[in-house]
Amino acid sequence: MSLGRTLLLRASRSAFLAAQLKRRAFVGRAVRRFMPGEELPAALDAAERLAASGLNTVLTQLGENLTSRADADAVRDHYLGVLRDLQRHRLRAHISIKLTQLGLDVDRGACERSLDALAASAEGTGSFLWIDMEDSHYTDLTLGIFRRARAAHAGVGLCLQAYLRRTGADLDSLLPLAPAIRLVKGAYAEPADVAFPRKADVDAAYLALGERLLEHAARGARPVFGTHDVRLIERLRARAAKLKLPPGTCEFHLLYGIRDAEQRRLAAEGETVRVLISYGTAWFAWYMRRLAERPANVWFVLKNLI
Ligand SMILES: Cc1cc2nc3c(=O)[nH]c(=O)nc-3n(C[C@H](O)[C@H](O)[C@H](O)COP(=O)(O)OP(=O)(O)OC[C@H]3O[C@@H](n4cnc5c(N)ncnc54)[C@H](O)[C@@H]3O)c2cc1C
């Protein structure tokens, strides 16, 4: 892992830096490249604009590692409201949550009940609930909670991270559930015995896992590729074509503000594309991870300062 990436990921955990940078207007301007605004209406407006150009969306309110049960319950209630809003606006959008945002660190039982409530509401409103994958301390817990939710609800999917050495085995153990899996490379700082440190190894693991998911699509798995890596996307599309999978069998999910032209190109070529729109005030750790993915983005922040 590069020094720049390591430093940015370390910075993402600093409460001091978060408080300092969130006060600076030039940082706020740079953040807006990746999010349409801090409030839900801005995210809904962006989702409507994207829908008009043939792009579906996933909405996520930023926040993680909540330490109060009341705050976690408020997040659940917020998302229940979002699902009602999506139905009212006739938006075919999904939602994506982090389990630590639903209070996993505080009370696992309450977190599972909140997840059940969201999964049931997502099903009832024609939406879909995605569970993000956080750092590797949470992998076992997240898999266990996903299995339990998937047994009760069809409309819930899980993110898996290709950089983790364990993910091949995790995917194999999940495939009998005919799961919806959003495969990503992985965004956290992990030790080398847990995650591949070299990008080339992460990319190779992503391709192998993606191909395995596609091979299981005929048996009910729902492959979703969360990446901006055009080379990988094209190789997975070629594999899907070779397997003669009907259009729409797999989806491509990209982040708001990243590779917009690519998002439109894929949709124009008949792929199902979803844009993940983040909103909310707790953007610091999330934004640092976006900078770490492409340290050249730091230049963009500095340009806003100048
Ligand atoms: C829909 C979605 C959901 C995600 N959910 C999770 C999750 O739950 N858990 C998790 O750990 N990670 C998650 N991630 C983040 C993911 O793990 C990667 O950190 C991120 O997607 C960058 O990897 P990449 O696949 O785009 O490939 P890379 O090889 O990093 O990037 C490929 C190309 O995409 C462009 N690009 C990538 N990132 C940026 C950026 N920040 N700014 C500008 N250009 C960029 C660059 O041109 C780059 O060359 C998610 C990503 C997406 C798209």
Side-chain angles (χ1 to χ4, degrees):
M1 199 188 295
S2 75
L3 182 64
R5 182 167 149 80
T6 307
L7 289 176
L8 286 163
L9 289 176
R10 203 167 289 165
S12 75
R13 295 197 301 268
S14 161
F16 173 76
L17 262 184
Q20 291 301 313
L21 289 182
K22 284 186 77 175
R23 275 196 237 125
R24 315 279 181 228
F26 75 92
V27 180
R29 283 197 299 276
V31 171
R32 274 196 287 281
R33 176 184 169 194
F34 295 120
M35 58 191 280
E38 291 191 349
E39 305 300 328
L40 175 64
L44 290 171
D45 283 352
E48 283 187 325
R49 275 199 310 278
L50 290 163
S53 51
L55 295 165
N56 302 298
T57 41
V58 181
L59 298 193
T60 192
Q61 187 195 32
L62 296 169
E64 50 204 280
N65 296 111
L66 296 195
T67 52
S68 123
R69 170 92 185 266
D71 289 348
D73 288 349
V75 168
R76 176 204 58 210
D77 294 343
H78 170 80
Y79 276 120
L80 290 172
V82 173
L83 289 166
R84 287 192 295 273
D85 283 343
L86 293 177
Q87 193 177 34
R88 197 150 33 85
H89 288 250
R90 293 181 206 280
L91 271 169
R92 293 169 56 211
H94 297 172
I95 59 169
S96 198
I97 53 101
K98 287 188 174 24
L99 292 180
T100 65
Q101 193 186 12
L102 288 183
L104 179 58
D105 292 335
V106 189
D107 180 341
R108 175 177 174 165
C111 170
E112 288 182 331
R113 286 192 292 282
S114 292
L115 192 75
D116 274 340
L118 290 175
S121 173
E123 267 170 355
T125 55
S127 181
F128 194 86
L129 173 65
W130 287 100
I131 302 175
D132 289 1
M133 188 59 84
E134 301 177 63
D135 74 60
S136 59
H137 297 106
Y138 294 103
T139 312
D140 279 326
L141 275 171
T142 305
L143 288 168
I145 292 173
F146 169 70
R147 281 177 199 287
R148 187 183 160 279
R150 179 68 183 85
H153 306 279
V156 57
L158 177 69
C159 176
L160 288 183
Q161 298 154 323
Y163 68 2
L164 294 186
R165 295 179 186 274
R166 59 177 287 169
T167 296
D170 289 339
L171 178 61
D172 285 345
S173 76
L174 291 172
L175 283 171
L177 306 178
I181 299 291
R182 179 179 77 207
L183 185 64
V184 303
K185 289 189 186 174
Y188 296 85
E190 299 288 359
D193 59 331
V194 171
F196 302 112
R198 288 179 54 237
K199 182 170 163 32
D201 294 332
V202 179
D203 292 354
Y206 192 108
L207 183 63
L209 292 163
E211 290 188 340
R212 206 175 318 163
L213 258 174
L214 287 171
E215 281 149 22
H216 281 79
R219 273 165 270 167
R222 178 170 168 187
V224 168
F225 301 112
T227 182
H228 315 94
D229 188 328
V230 179
R231 214 178 115 254
L232 267 178
I233 290 174
E234 289 310 322
R235 291 180 78 172
L236 290 164
R237 290 179 78 194
R239 183 75 187 132
K242 206 161 180 193
L243 290 167
K244 299 194 177 11
L245 296 176
T249 303
C250 63
E251 294 188 11
F252 296 94
H253 291 192
L254 292 88
L255 301 182
Y256 179 91
I258 301 183
R259 296 233 154 154
D260 299 3
E262 190 59 29
Q263 297 173 9
R264 290 193 297 273
R265 179 184 71 85
L266 287 168
E269 291 177 6
E271 300 293 355
T272 303
V273 180
R274 283 188 186 274
V275 179
L276 179 69
I277 302 176
S278 301
Y279 62 94
T281 52
W283 45 254
F284 177 75
W286 163 85
Y287 182 60
M288 285 291 137
R289 292 197 290 272
R290 299 294 80 76
L291 294 185
E293 281 156 9
R294 194 161 173 262
N297 286 342
V298 174
W299 174 236
F300 188 79
V301 184
L302 295 176
K303 270 200 303 201
N304 272 286
L305 170 63
I306 298 159

